[in-house]
């Protein structure tokens, strides 16, 4: 488990690192009798196929409807609770205590004009160029997949859950997981990353598909009670 170096609220993800595997096709067969032209054509075809595989690594959308009705994809990690989170100094555990909701710290790239810890306080939603905007007090419904660390495919590993952004996952110190700017992918090929305080039992860096929604009324009320953001 990594030791946190974030200022108070800025936790580092606990990671189970599995490097993405990219296809390597068209390796030499050792047959020197093949025509050079055919070899070049095959190499070009293989290169195009590899490029398509690598692009689909994060671009999970199968259709305009996304993955079984969800519109976006994210990698995930988990970090515990923050006693003074970036969304107005709230306690992330208190935000969701006694509810069915899950607190997350969203990647810096998902916040608007977030360039350092200081100007990310109470950050609004940003995003763009493939990145979903999810700043303070934004919510989404979604489900975990059986795959982890950005790998494609897999079925569902959980029932539908509702997440709320109560904290920030800054780029500094989390370079592998949390992109700095909208339109950038993390090491695992994803535009979006959500760092869960406490994911459901059995979930460990599982990929997550989601659709943003309006935050439920009870969650909004609790947020405004404990956050200094206005």
């Amino acid at each position: 488990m990594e030791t946190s170096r974030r200022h108070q609220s800025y936790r580092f993800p606990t990671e189970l690192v599995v490097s993405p595997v990219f296809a390597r096709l068209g390796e030499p067969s050792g047959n020197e009798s093949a025509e050079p032209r055919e070899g070049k054509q095959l190499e070009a075809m293989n290169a195009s196929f590899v490029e398509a595989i690598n692009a689909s690594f994060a671009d999970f959308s199968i259709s305009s409807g996304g993955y079984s009705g969800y519109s976006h994809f994210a990698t995930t990690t988990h970090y515990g609770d923050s006693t003074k989170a970036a969304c107005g100094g709230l306690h992330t555990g208190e935000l969701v205590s006694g509810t069915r909701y899950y607190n997350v710290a969203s990647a810096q790239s998902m916040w608007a004009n977030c360039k350092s810890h200081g100007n990310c306080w109470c950050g609004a939603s940003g995003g763009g160029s493939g990145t979903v905007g999810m700043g303070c007090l934004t919510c989404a419904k979604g489900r975990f997949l059986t795959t982890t660390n950005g790998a494609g495919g897999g079925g569902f590993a959980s029932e539908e859950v509702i997440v709320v952004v109560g904290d920030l996952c800054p780029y500094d110190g989390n370079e592998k997981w949390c992109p700095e700017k909208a339109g950038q992918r993390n090491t695992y090929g994803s535009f979006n990353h959500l760092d869960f305080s406490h994911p459901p039992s059995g979930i460990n860096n599982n990929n997550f598909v989601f659709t943003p929604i309006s935050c439920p009324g009870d969650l909004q009320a609790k947020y405004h009670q404990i956050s200094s953001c206005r």
Side-chain angles (χ1 to χ4, degrees):
M1 181 177 293
E2 294 185 5
T3 302
S4 173
R5 289 185 288 126
R6 297 193 202 178
H7 174 64
Q8 294 180 312
S9 63
Y10 303 134
R11 307 285 183 179
F12 290 98
T14 301
E15 60 183 81
L16 173 65
V17 177
V18 179
S19 298
V21 179
F22 295 92
R24 298 185 62 200
L25 306 179
E27 294 292 334
S29 65
N31 182 355
E32 298 181 358
S33 65
E35 292 291 333
R37 182 177 178 181
E38 293 178 353
K40 290 181 179 179
Q41 289 177 335
L42 180 60
E43 182 178 351
M45 290 174 62
N46 285 339
S48 297
F49 187 55
V50 170
E51 183 178 354
I53 291 176
N54 290 348
S56 67
F57 179 67
D59 297 334
F60 81 101
S61 291
I62 298 173
S63 66
S64 59
Y67 193 107
S68 295
Y70 296 103
S71 55
H72 303 289
F73 175 97
T75 49
T76 74
T77 43
H78 56 91
Y79 74 101
D81 280 311
S82 169
T83 58
K84 192 173 179 62
C87 292
L90 59 77
H91 189 301
T92 56
E94 186 179 356
L95 177 62
V96 297
S97 177
T99 74
R100 64 188 187 281
Y101 313 123
Y102 291 85
N103 175 77
V104 297
S106 55
Q108 180 174 328
S109 57
M110 302 170 79
W111 292 41
N113 304 315
C114 183
K115 300 177 182 178
S116 66
H117 288 179
N119 63 15
C120 296
W121 188 257
C122 294
S125 297
S129 301
T131 302
V132 181
M134 288 193 70
C136 289
L137 190 60
T138 54
C139 293
K141 62 180 181 179
R143 296 178 73 177
F144 289 95
L145 303 179
T146 55
T147 52
T148 62
N149 302 307
F156 288 126
S158 75
E159 298 299 318
E160 186 172 273
V161 299
I162 293 177
V163 301
V164 55
V165 176
D167 204 357
L168 168 73
C169 183
Y171 172 75
D172 289 345
N174 301 290
E175 292 86 352
K176 289 189 293 185
W177 294 106
C178 298
E180 180 180 18
K181 300 176 182 178
Q184 296 178 340
R185 301 177 190 260
N186 64 19
T187 299
Y188 304 97
S190 178
F191 287 112
N192 308 298
H193 184 79
L194 300 175
D195 193 11
F196 281 71
S197 286
H198 302 283
S201 177
I203 298 300
N204 190 358
N205 291 16
N206 293 59
N207 300 320
F208 188 70
V209 289
F210 66 99
T211 298
I213 60 171
S214 297
C215 288
D218 58 338
L219 186 54
Q220 293 187 45
K222 186 64 171 291
Y223 179 90
H224 290 301
Q225 286 177 3
I226 65 175
S227 170
S228 65
C229 297
R230 294 293 182 267

